[in-house]
Amino acid sequence: QVHLVESGGGFVQAGGSLRLSCAASGRTCSLYTMGWFRQAPGKERDFVARIGGSGRMTDYADSVKGRFTISRDNAKNTVYLQMNSLKPEDTAVYYCAADVHTYSRSREAYDYWGQGTQVTVSS
């Protein structure tokens, strides 16, 4: 069992930055793909970014490429999402997730989820 806890969300003006953290406990997650997803009101939960177990492989949704950076510190069992140049359309609840078996963009592939953290970007 893996327990994920996100933090770092908040309210920020357009153009600002936030860094989200996802702390994992339970099984060692250093071999797992970790992903960030987001869900805006009335919309589906969408892929944002993923990172492979070693941290060498990363992938981003087109909407955040060049603005967001995913990273991980396996010694701390923590994954980060640095979000720069934030836009109002980035407003959503952001979820951290662990994919035990694959390296996928699909939310169905992820086995464990955090409770989410709200990010609100004002114009």
Side-chain angles (χ1 to χ4, degrees), residues 86-106:
L86 282 161
K87 305 175 181 180
E89 50 263 44
D90 294 319
T91 295
V93 177
Y94 283 71
Y95 296 90
C96 172
D99 176 356
V100 175
H101 301 291
T102 68
Y103 179 67
S104 176
R105 283 188 166 204
S106 173

Side-chain angles (χ1 to χ4, degrees), residues 27-91:
R27 289 182 171 180
T28 301
C29 294
S30 60
L31 296 180
Y32 301 166
T33 292
M34 299 297 294
W36 286 97
F37 291 76
R38 67 186 181 186
Q39 188 167 17
K43 296 189 176 181
E44 293 189 347
R45 191 172 298 187
D46 292 331
F47 167 77
V48 174
R50 58 179 169 165
I51 186 167
S54 68
R56 289 192 296 268
M57 294 173 64
T58 59
D59 179 39
Y60 300 90
D62 288 345
S63 59
V64 307
K65 199 172 295 182
R67 300 188 297 122
F68 291 11
T69 302
I70 189 171
S71 61
R72 66 191 301 162
D73 184 340
N74 285 338
K76 296 182 178 179
N77 253 2
T78 301
V79 178
Y80 305 98
L81 185 69
Q82 177 67 43
M83 306 186 295
N84 299 329
S85 302
L86 282 161
K87 305 175 181 180
E89 50 263 44
D90 294 319
T91 295

